Amino acid sequence: MRKIIFPLLSLVLFVLSLLTFAPHAKAYSNNRLIDDTVFDNSGTMSAVDIQNFLNQFPNSCLKNYSSTYPDSYFNYSGSASAATIIRRAADLWGLNPQVILTKLQQEESLVKGDAGCDNWRYNSALGYNCPDTTGCNPGYAGFSQQVTKGSFQLKFNKETANGNVNWQGNGDIGYGGYMTQGSRKRCNSCQTVYFDGYYTIDGVQVHMDTGATASIYSYTPHVPSSFPGIFESFFGSVLMPSYASGFAGQSSYPIMAQGGSFTGFIQYKNEGGSSWYDDASVGTAPSGTKPVHLATTSPINRSSAFGSSWGGDKNRPSVNFAAVYESNGTTLAADQHVARPGQIVKFNINFTAPSSIGAGTYRERFVPVIEGSSAMNDVGAFLDVSVVEGYKNSFAGQSAYPSIMNNESFTGFIQYKNEGGSSWYD
């Protein structure tokens, strides 16, 4: 049975696919069907990749199928392949196309085609607005509508479950689905309520560990869910590593005089499944949480010549986050000391050049580390630090040689170029 959340309305939808898969070792659980970072990773497959994926199944109902193209969420015209339509929906809502493909298999077996390719399966391809008490609403029939509107519902569920009521400007839409743990609103005008994240589904108590998990259950409320098993049989793990980072930006390369200083930064995206806490916030984190700091690397915990202000070991340029941004890289997150999965952390790095260091360019490499545990994946982030001599000059010009008689005067000049790293003051 599937449940779709409409404005101020919940509808119960169609039966699950009868597909079964060979048992295999799994890392996911009822509480964590899929991580938000996997769910949101819309760049996993191009339209060509999707087509090639469908082509591997001889009986696929989608590999040679075309339907009206979604010009927007509401308008459909022309014709396009199933792969192109899936890619379009992924672009519209920032949803992983692998999630869409998994739901197409879970709901109507269209990816593998092992239950037949009857026309009604295309009309209810994603099970969107198909309550099992009355059948599918004909106003939402058709592959293209099912994919675009069903994909919207999946992403809307996930965002609202995490308390993001303003996603895509949809803050006035009421949401009756499952919520993750925390103090959250269901809509802009709704009251803020604390949710513990626990719900009973099919007689089983389930905790919504991720917004994507809440979305899947809100869409298809059954335990166990076949979604993660299908996903992993197609694409691999539904879970991200607990701790993983991705490069998200940096400052310009530092240029300093001997004895000078420069403040640069590197930004990392939290691409793991766990939140990052810095020193200022670790006391409010779950018991046993270790702080995330920026460390020198190549080799790890290398003592830096530019780290005189970093502490005794000169290998931790930042123990607090300078800023935390939402995944779009522009909007500041509410808490500047906690980085949730998908958010971006800015680490400031205060470089100080010793007065005795030789002029030249020095490559300083960094990586986030979980203190007391290990370093995260090294994305190769670095800043090239240029050191120039503090005081250095070169000849730049002069006046003509003076030629004067007794009791006469002449004003001459000499010009020097400042080629050092320090300004000259008279």
Side-chain angles (χ1 to χ4, degrees):
M1 184 170 63
R2 312 164 204 159
K3 186 167 70 174
I4 296 296
I5 310 305
F6 273 124
L8 307 178
L9 180 66
S10 297
L11 294 176
V12 179
L13 300 184
F14 201 58
V15 295
L16 284 170
S17 166
L18 298 178
L19 270 178
T20 57
F21 290 85
H24 62 286
K26 61 181 184 179
Y28 61 83
S29 66
N30 289 338
N31 298 340
R32 188 181 174 192
L33 298 181
I34 182 171
D35 283 345
D36 289 352
T37 47
V38 178
F39 194 83
D40 292 340
N41 191 0
S42 61
T44 56
M45 303 174 79
S46 67
V48 172
D49 294 331
I50 296 170
Q51 186 63 59
N52 290 337
F53 171 76
L54 295 172
N55 290 344
Q56 70 179 299
F57 301 107
N59 299 320
S60 174
C61 301
L62 299 179
K63 67 178 180 178
N64 298 318
Y65 183 77
S66 62
S67 183
T68 51
Y69 180 74
D71 293 324
S72 68
Y73 180 41
F74 299 105
N75 301 314
Y76 304 86
S77 63
S79 182
S81 67
T84 300
I85 292 167
I86 293 167
R87 181 63 252 171
R88 173 64 173 159
D91 289 333
L92 278 172
W93 313 127
L95 182 66
N96 189 338
Q98 296 172 343
V99 170
I100 302 172
L101 288 162
T102 300
K103 289 300 291 182
L104 288 167
Q105 181 63 27
Q106 180 188 18
E107 301 294 344
E108 298 298 0
S109 303
L110 289 172
V111 171
K112 298 180 74 174
D114 41 6
C117 299
D118 307 283
N119 189 59
W120 64 266
R121 294 187 186 277
Y122 298 104
N123 285 334
S124 57
L126 229 61
Y128 181 78
N129 203 0
C130 290
D132 53 3
T133 54
T134 60
C136 295
N137 185 330
Y140 299 98
F143 180 80
S144 194
Q145 282 213 86
Q146 284 285 307
V147 169
T148 53
K149 296 181 187 298
S151 296
F152 165 85
Q153 192 70 60
L154 286 164
K155 186 61 179 280
F156 172 76
N157 292 354
K158 174 257 175 183
E159 293 294 330
T160 313
N162 283 332
N164 183 13
V165 296
N166 290 312
W167 175 75
Q168 294 277 340
N170 293 304
D172 294 327
I173 299 179
Y175 169 72
Y178 304 119
M179 301 290 288
T180 57
Q181 185 173 354
S183 296
R184 316 204 183 286
K185 288 184 174 184
R186 288 183 174 273
C187 67
N188 268 332
S189 58
C190 298
Q191 246 185 340
T192 299
V193 176
Y194 178 78
F195 297 91
D196 64 8
Y198 284 100
Y199 296 88
T200 299
I201 305 173
D202 290 341
V204 178
Q205 189 177 60
V206 178
H207 186 267
M208 303 299 157
D209 283 1
T210 69
T213 298
S215 175
I216 296 298
Y217 281 129
S218 294
Y219 200 97
T220 308
H222 286 287
V223 177
S225 171
S226 61
F227 178 90
I230 297 172
F231 187 103
E232 292 199 342
S233 72
F234 284 167
F235 307 114
S237 180
V238 292
L239 307 182
M240 291 295 293
S242 294
Y243 289 94
S245 66
F247 177 76
Q250 67 180 62
S251 65
S252 60
Y253 289 152
I255 301 177
M256 297 179 290
Q258 295 160 326
S261 62
F262 182 96
T263 299
F265 67 85
I266 296 180
Q267 293 176 331
Y268 294 89
K269 185 174 183 179
N270 180 352
E271 293 188 345
S274 299
S275 295
W276 299 357
Y277 296 83
D278 68 3
D279 266 13
S281 64
V282 74
T284 64
S287 177
T289 298
K290 301 179 186 301
V292 172
H293 294 158
L294 188 66
T296 54
T297 190
S298 296
I300 189 69
N301 295 329
R302 165 186 50 83
S303 181
S304 171
F306 302 96
S308 62
S309 65
W310 303 352
D313 294 328
K314 300 181 181 179
N315 57 24
R316 291 292 186 276
S318 290
V319 295
N320 285 322
F321 305 156
V324 178
Y325 303 89
E326 299 294 355
S327 58
N328 60 15
T330 57
T331 305
L332 284 171
D335 192 332
Q336 292 296 286
H337 297 285
V338 180
R340 310 294 179 189
Q343 292 180 334
I344 296 170
V345 172
K346 178 182 180 182
F347 290 98
N348 279 348
I349 308 169
N350 297 314
F351 296 95
T352 302
S355 57
S356 60
I357 195 170
T361 300
Y362 301 82
R363 178 157 292 184
E364 293 288 299
R365 295 184 179 274
F366 303 95
V367 66
V369 298
I370 310 99
E371 294 292 9
S373 179
S374 62
M376 295 188 204
N377 55 305
D378 191 344
V379 297
F382 64 87
L383 290 172
D384 281 341
V385 182
S386 295
V387 178
V388 295
E389 292 184 28
Y391 290 95
K392 184 180 179 181
N393 68 82
S394 64
F395 177 77
Q398 66 180 60
S399 64
Y401 293 147
S403 177
I404 54 176
M405 303 291 290
N406 289 339
N407 299 320
E408 290 181 343
S409 63
F410 180 94
T411 300
F413 67 85
I414 295 179
Q415 294 175 327
Y416 292 91
K417 182 178 181 181
N418 179 355
E419 292 193 341
S422 300
S423 297
W424 297 355
Y425 298 87
D426 62 8

